[in-house]
PDB file of all heavy atoms in Angstrom:
ATOM      1  N   TRP A  52     -48.940 -55.942  49.685  1.00  0.00           N
ATOM      2  CA  TRP A  52     -48.778 -57.299  50.227  1.00  0.00           C
ATOM      3  C   TRP A  52     -48.200 -58.215  49.153  1.00  0.00           C
ATOM      4  O   TRP A  52     -47.272 -58.979  49.403  1.00  0.00           O
ATOM      5  CB  TRP A  52     -50.144 -57.808  50.677  1.00  0.00           C
ATOM      6  CG  TRP A  52     -50.126 -59.045  51.536  1.00  0.00           C
ATOM      7  CD1 TRP A  52     -50.244 -59.123  52.876  1.00  0.00           C
ATOM      8  CD2 TRP A  52     -50.022 -60.426  51.066  1.00  0.00           C
ATOM      9  NE1 TRP A  52     -50.225 -60.441  53.297  1.00  0.00           N
ATOM     10  CE2 TRP A  52     -50.077 -61.259  52.213  1.00  0.00           C
ATOM     11  CE3 TRP A  52     -49.889 -61.010  49.808  1.00  0.00           C
ATOM     12  CZ2 TRP A  52     -49.989 -62.643  52.131  1.00  0.00           C
ATOM     13  CZ3 TRP A  52     -49.792 -62.399  49.732  1.00  0.00           C
ATOM     14  CH2 TRP A  52     -49.842 -63.195  50.871  1.00  0.00           C
ATOM     15  N   ASN A  53     -48.737 -58.123  47.956  1.00  0.00           N
ATOM     16  CA  ASN A  53     -48.259 -58.953  46.840  1.00  0.00           C
ATOM     17  C   ASN A  53     -46.804 -58.632  46.503  1.00  0.00           C
ATOM     18  O   ASN A  53     -45.974 -59.539  46.306  1.00  0.00           O
ATOM     19  CB  ASN A  53     -49.175 -58.749  45.631  1.00  0.00           C
ATOM     20  CG  ASN A  53     -48.848 -59.673  44.496  1.00  0.00           C
ATOM     21  OD1 ASN A  53     -48.759 -60.884  44.657  1.00  0.00           O
ATOM     22  ND2 ASN A  53     -48.638 -59.110  43.307  1.00  0.00           N
ATOM     23  N   ALA A  54     -46.485 -57.349  46.430  1.00  0.00           N
ATOM     24  CA  ALA A  54     -45.128 -56.942  46.079  1.00  0.00           C
ATOM     25  C   ALA A  54     -44.128 -57.397  47.130  1.00  0.00           C
ATOM     26  O   ALA A  54     -43.054 -57.920  46.825  1.00  0.00           O
ATOM     27  CB  ALA A  54     -45.057 -55.430  45.910  1.00  0.00           C
ATOM     28  N   LEU A  55     -44.463 -57.219  48.408  1.00  0.00           N
ATOM     29  CA  LEU A  55     -43.564 -57.616  49.484  1.00  0.00           C
ATOM     30  C   LEU A  55     -43.355 -59.140  49.493  1.00  0.00           C
ATOM     31  O   LEU A  55     -42.247 -59.623  49.731  1.00  0.00           O
ATOM     32  CB  LEU A  55     -44.123 -57.162  50.831  1.00  0.00           C
ATOM     33  CG  LEU A  55     -44.096 -55.662  51.100  1.00  0.00           C
ATOM     34  CD1 LEU A  55     -44.851 -55.322  52.377  1.00  0.00           C
ATOM     35  CD2 LEU A  55     -42.675 -55.147  51.177  1.00  0.00           C
ATOM     36  N   PHE A  56     -44.413 -59.867  49.191  1.00  0.00           N
ATOM     37  CA  PHE A  56     -44.268 -61.336  49.210  1.00  0.00           C
ATOM     38  C   PHE A  56     -43.302 -61.811  48.137  1.00  0.00           C
ATOM     39  O   PHE A  56     -42.458 -62.659  48.408  1.00  0.00           O
ATOM     40  CB  PHE A  56     -45.631 -61.993  48.992  1.00  0.00           C
ATOM     41  CG  PHE A  56     -45.561 -63.487  48.954  1.00  0.00           C
ATOM     42  CD1 PHE A  56     -45.505 -64.224  50.113  1.00  0.00           C
ATOM     43  CD2 PHE A  56     -45.546 -64.166  47.709  1.00  0.00           C
ATOM     44  CE1 PHE A  56     -45.394 -65.611  50.063  1.00  0.00           C
ATOM     45  CE2 PHE A  56     -45.451 -65.534  47.684  1.00  0.00           C
ATOM     46  CZ  PHE A  56     -45.389 -66.250  48.851  1.00  0.00           C
ATOM     47  N   TRP A  57     -43.366 -61.246  46.952  1.00  0.00           N
ATOM     48  CA  TRP A  57     -42.484 -61.714  45.865  1.00  0.00           C
ATOM     49  C   TRP A  57     -41.047 -61.207  46.065  1.00  0.00           C
ATOM     50  O   TRP A  57     -40.093 -61.855  45.636  1.00  0.00           O
ATOM     51  CB  TRP A  57     -43.026 -61.270  44.513  1.00  0.00           C
ATOM     52  CG  TRP A  57     -44.229 -62.066  44.142  1.00  0.00           C
ATOM     53  CD1 TRP A  57     -45.503 -61.636  44.052  1.00  0.00           C
ATOM     54  CD2 TRP A  57     -44.243 -63.465  43.839  1.00  0.00           C
ATOM     55  NE1 TRP A  57     -46.349 -62.665  43.720  1.00  0.00           N
ATOM     56  CE2 TRP A  57     -45.620 -63.799  43.572  1.00  0.00           C
ATOM     57  CE3 TRP A  57     -43.287 -64.459  43.771  1.00  0.00           C
ATOM     58  CZ2 TRP A  57     -45.991 -65.107  43.240  1.00  0.00           C
ATOM     59  CZ3 TRP A  57     -43.663 -65.755  43.443  1.00  0.00           C
ATOM     60  CH2 TRP A  57     -44.997 -66.062  43.177  1.00  0.00           C
ATOM     61  N   VAL A  58     -40.883 -60.073  46.756  1.00  0.00           N
ATOM     62  CA  VAL A  58     -39.511 -59.640  47.127  1.00  0.00           C
ATOM     63  C   VAL A  58     -38.916 -60.644  48.113  1.00  0.00           C
ATOM     64  O   VAL A  58     -37.741 -61.044  48.010  1.00  0.00           O
ATOM     65  CB  VAL A  58     -39.533 -58.222  47.713  1.00  0.00           C
ATOM     66  CG1 VAL A  58     -38.182 -57.870  48.348  1.00  0.00           C
ATOM     67  CG2 VAL A  58     -39.880 -57.221  46.652  1.00  0.00           C
ATOM     68  N   ILE A  59     -39.728 -61.077  49.087  1.00  0.00           N
ATOM     69  CA  ILE A  59     -39.275 -62.107  50.026  1.00  0.00           C
ATOM     70  C   ILE A  59     -38.921 -63.378  49.298  1.00  0.00           C
ATOM     71  O   ILE A  59     -37.891 -64.020  49.555  1.00  0.00           O
ATOM     72  CB  ILE A  59     -40.345 -62.370  51.101  1.00  0.00           C
ATOM     73  CG1 ILE A  59     -40.521 -61.133  51.991  1.00  0.00           C
ATOM     74  CG2 ILE A  59     -39.996 -63.571  51.959  1.00  0.00           C
ATOM     75  CD1 ILE A  59     -41.704 -61.221  52.930  1.00  0.00           C
ATOM     76  N   GLN A  60     -39.758 -63.783  48.334  1.00  0.00           N
ATOM     77  CA  GLN A  60     -39.494 -64.992  47.558  1.00  0.00           C
ATOM     78  C   GLN A  60     -38.180 -64.900  46.811  1.00  0.00           C
ATOM     79  O   GLN A  60     -37.420 -65.872  46.704  1.00  0.00           O
ATOM     80  CB  GLN A  60     -40.647 -65.231  46.561  1.00  0.00           C
ATOM     81  CG  GLN A  60     -41.885 -65.802  47.165  1.00  0.00           C
ATOM     82  CD  GLN A  60     -41.707 -67.267  47.521  1.00  0.00           C
ATOM     83  OE1 GLN A  60     -41.237 -67.615  48.610  1.00  0.00           O
ATOM     84  NE2 GLN A  60     -42.073 -68.155  46.618  1.00  0.00           N
ATOM     85  N   LEU A  61     -37.889 -63.719  46.279  1.00  0.00           N
ATOM     86  CA  LEU A  61     -36.647 -63.524  45.527  1.00  0.00           C
ATOM     87  C   LEU A  61     -35.431 -63.754  46.428  1.00  0.00           C
ATOM     88  O   LEU A  61     -34.512 -64.504  46.054  1.00  0.00           O
ATOM     89  CB  LEU A  61     -36.602 -62.111  44.945  1.00  0.00           C
ATOM     90  CG  LEU A  61     -35.280 -61.682  44.314  1.00  0.00           C
ATOM     91  CD1 LEU A  61     -34.926 -62.574  43.146  1.00  0.00           C
ATOM     92  CD2 LEU A  61     -35.357 -60.224  43.875  1.00  0.00           C
ATOM     93  N   PHE A  62     -35.429 -63.158  47.600  1.00  0.00           N
ATOM     94  CA  PHE A  62     -34.271 -63.303  48.487  1.00  0.00           C
ATOM     95  C   PHE A  62     -34.195 -64.690  49.075  1.00  0.00           C
ATOM     96  O   PHE A  62     -33.093 -65.188  49.342  1.00  0.00           O
ATOM     97  CB  PHE A  62     -34.332 -62.242  49.577  1.00  0.00           C
ATOM     98  CG  PHE A  62     -33.946 -60.870  49.120  1.00  0.00           C
ATOM     99  CD1 PHE A  62     -34.902 -59.946  48.761  1.00  0.00           C
ATOM    100  CD2 PHE A  62     -32.606 -60.523  49.020  1.00  0.00           C
ATOM    101  CE1 PHE A  62     -34.531 -58.687  48.323  1.00  0.00           C
ATOM    102  CE2 PHE A  62     -32.239 -59.265  48.565  1.00  0.00           C
ATOM    103  CZ  PHE A  62     -33.187 -58.336  48.216  1.00  0.00           C
ATOM    104  N   VAL A  63     -35.323 -65.333  49.271  1.00  0.00           N
ATOM    105  CA  VAL A  63     -35.303 -66.728  49.707  1.00  0.00           C
ATOM    106  C   VAL A  63     -34.647 -67.601  48.653  1.00  0.00           C
ATOM    107  O   VAL A  63     -33.847 -68.488  48.951  1.00  0.00           O
ATOM    108  CB  VAL A  63     -36.726 -67.228  50.013  1.00  0.00           C
ATOM    109  CG1 VAL A  63     -36.766 -68.733  50.212  1.00  0.00           C
ATOM    110  CG2 VAL A  63     -37.247 -66.545  51.285  1.00  0.00           C
ATOM    111  N   ALA A  64     -35.016 -67.364  47.394  1.00  0.00           N
ATOM    112  CA  ALA A  64     -34.425 -68.162  46.304  1.00  0.00           C
ATOM    113  C   ALA A  64     -32.913 -67.951  46.224  1.00  0.00           C
ATOM    114  O   ALA A  64     -32.153 -68.904  46.045  1.00  0.00           O
ATOM    115  CB  ALA A  64     -35.080 -67.787  44.969  1.00  0.00           C
ATOM    116  N   VAL A  65     -32.479 -66.714  46.375  1.00  0.00           N
ATOM    117  CA  VAL A  65     -31.044 -66.438  46.305  1.00  0.00           C
ATOM    118  C   VAL A  65     -30.303 -67.143  47.444  1.00  0.00           C
ATOM    119  O   VAL A  65     -29.264 -67.774  47.215  1.00  0.00           O
ATOM    120  CB  VAL A  65     -30.788 -64.906  46.368  1.00  0.00           C
ATOM    121  CG1 VAL A  65     -29.286 -64.624  46.517  1.00  0.00           C
ATOM    122  CG2 VAL A  65     -31.357 -64.227  45.142  1.00  0.00           C
ATOM    123  N   ASN A  66     -30.832 -67.063  48.648  1.00  0.00           N
ATOM    124  CA  ASN A  66     -30.141 -67.637  49.808  1.00  0.00           C
ATOM    125  C   ASN A  66     -30.235 -69.161  49.825  1.00  0.00           C
ATOM    126  O   ASN A  66     -29.296 -69.826  50.261  1.00  0.00           O
ATOM    127  CB  ASN A  66     -30.737 -67.065  51.102  1.00  0.00           C
ATOM    128  CG  ASN A  66     -30.320 -65.638  51.347  1.00  0.00           C
ATOM    129  OD1 ASN A  66     -29.225 -65.350  51.781  1.00  0.00           O
ATOM    130  ND2 ASN A  66     -31.215 -64.699  51.050  1.00  0.00           N
ATOM    131  N   ALA A  67     -31.355 -69.701  49.393  1.00  0.00           N
ATOM    132  CA  ALA A  67     -31.537 -71.153  49.475  1.00  0.00           C
ATOM    133  C   ALA A  67     -30.916 -71.905  48.299  1.00  0.00           C
ATOM    134  O   ALA A  67     -30.346 -72.992  48.467  1.00  0.00           O
ATOM    135  CB  ALA A  67     -33.035 -71.479  49.558  1.00  0.00           C
ATOM    136  N   ILE A  68     -30.999 -71.322  47.107  1.00  0.00           N
ATOM    137  CA  ILE A  68     -30.568 -72.043  45.906  1.00  0.00           C
ATOM    138  C   ILE A  68     -29.092 -71.814  45.598  1.00  0.00           C
ATOM    139  O   ILE A  68     -28.398 -72.731  45.137  1.00  0.00           O
ATOM    140  CB  ILE A  68     -31.432 -71.629  44.691  1.00  0.00           C
ATOM    141  CG1 ILE A  68     -32.918 -71.824  45.016  1.00  0.00           C
ATOM    142  CG2 ILE A  68     -31.035 -72.420  43.463  1.00  0.00           C
ATOM    143  CD1 ILE A  68     -33.276 -73.232  45.396  1.00  0.00           C
ATOM    144  N   ALA A  69     -28.607 -70.612  45.872  1.00  0.00           N
ATOM    145  CA  ALA A  69     -27.214 -70.301  45.487  1.00  0.00           C
ATOM    146  C   ALA A  69     -26.206 -71.214  46.159  1.00  0.00           C
ATOM    147  O   ALA A  69     -25.177 -71.563  45.565  1.00  0.00           O
ATOM    148  CB  ALA A  69     -26.885 -68.848  45.822  1.00  0.00           C
ATOM    149  N   LYS A  70     -26.498 -71.665  47.360  1.00  0.00           N
ATOM    150  CA  LYS A  70     -25.548 -72.498  48.074  1.00  0.00           C
ATOM    151  C   LYS A  70     -25.459 -73.910  47.525  1.00  0.00           C
ATOM    152  O   LYS A  70     -24.563 -74.651  47.905  1.00  0.00           O
ATOM    153  CB  LYS A  70     -25.911 -72.569  49.549  1.00  0.00           C
ATOM    154  CG  LYS A  70     -27.224 -73.286  49.819  1.00  0.00           C
ATOM    155  CD  LYS A  70     -27.554 -73.317  51.323  1.00  0.00           C
ATOM    156  CE  LYS A  70     -28.841 -74.070  51.551  1.00  0.00           C
ATOM    157  NZ  LYS A  70     -28.774 -75.477  51.116  1.00  0.00           N
ATOM    158  N   SER A  71     -26.369 -74.282  46.638  1.00  0.00           N
ATOM    159  CA  SER A  71     -26.360 -75.657  46.132  1.00  0.00           C
ATOM    160  C   SER A  71     -25.073 -75.962  45.377  1.00  0.00           C
ATOM    161  O   SER A  71     -24.583 -77.101  45.405  1.00  0.00           O
ATOM    162  CB  SER A  71     -27.566 -75.881  45.191  1.00  0.00           C
ATOM    163  OG  SER A  71     -27.479 -75.025  44.073  1.00  0.00           O
ATOM    164  N   PHE A  72     -24.522 -74.962  44.686  1.00  0.00           N
ATOM    165  CA  PHE A  72     -23.229 -75.157  44.009  1.00  0.00           C
ATOM    166  C   PHE A  72     -22.092 -74.515  44.776  1.00  0.00           C
ATOM    167  O   PHE A  72     -20.957 -74.984  44.672  1.00  0.00           O
ATOM    168  CB  PHE A  72     -23.285 -74.554  42.599  1.00  0.00           C
ATOM    169  CG  PHE A  72     -23.866 -75.495  41.583  1.00  0.00           C
ATOM    170  CD1 PHE A  72     -25.214 -75.472  41.278  1.00  0.00           C
ATOM    171  CD2 PHE A  72     -23.071 -76.407  40.929  1.00  0.00           C
ATOM    172  CE1 PHE A  72     -25.756 -76.341  40.342  1.00  0.00           C
ATOM    173  CE2 PHE A  72     -23.594 -77.270  39.984  1.00  0.00           C
ATOM    174  CZ  PHE A  72     -24.953 -77.236  39.706  1.00  0.00           C
ATOM    175  N   MET A  73     -22.385 -73.490  45.546  1.00  0.00           N
ATOM    176  CA  MET A  73     -21.321 -72.821  46.286  1.00  0.00           C
ATOM    177  C   MET A  73     -20.683 -73.723  47.336  1.00  0.00           C
ATOM    178  O   MET A  73     -19.511 -73.558  47.681  1.00  0.00           O
ATOM    179  CB  MET A  73     -21.867 -71.540  46.958  1.00  0.00           C
ATOM    180  CG  MET A  73     -22.359 -70.500  45.979  1.00  0.00           C
ATOM    181  SD  MET A  73     -21.077 -69.985  44.804  1.00  0.00           S
ATOM    182  CE  MET A  73     -22.004 -68.909  43.721  1.00  0.00           C
ATOM    183  N   GLN A  74     -21.440 -74.682  47.832  1.00  0.00           N
ATOM    184  CA  GLN A  74     -20.905 -75.589  48.851  1.00  0.00           C
ATOM    185  C   GLN A  74     -20.101 -76.742  48.247  1.00  0.00           C
ATOM    186  O   GLN A  74     -19.476 -77.515  48.972  1.00  0.00           O
ATOM    187  CB  GLN A  74     -22.033 -76.154  49.693  1.00  0.00           C
ATOM    188  CG  GLN A  74     -22.977 -77.091  48.961  1.00  0.00           C
ATOM    189  CD  GLN A  74     -24.128 -77.553  49.803  1.00  0.00           C
ATOM    190  OE1 GLN A  74     -24.273 -77.166  50.967  1.00  0.00           O
ATOM    191  NE2 GLN A  74     -24.978 -78.410  49.255  1.00  0.00           N
TER     192      GLN A  74
END
Side-chain angles (χ1 to χ4, degrees):
W52 193 100
N53 186 53
L55 289 172
F56 178 81
W57 288 110
V58 170
I59 293 171
Q60 283 287 87
L61 171 62
F62 284 97
V63 168
V65 172
N66 287 282
I68 305 303
K70 66 180 181 61
S71 62
F72 276 93
M73 297 302 175
Q74 67 184 3

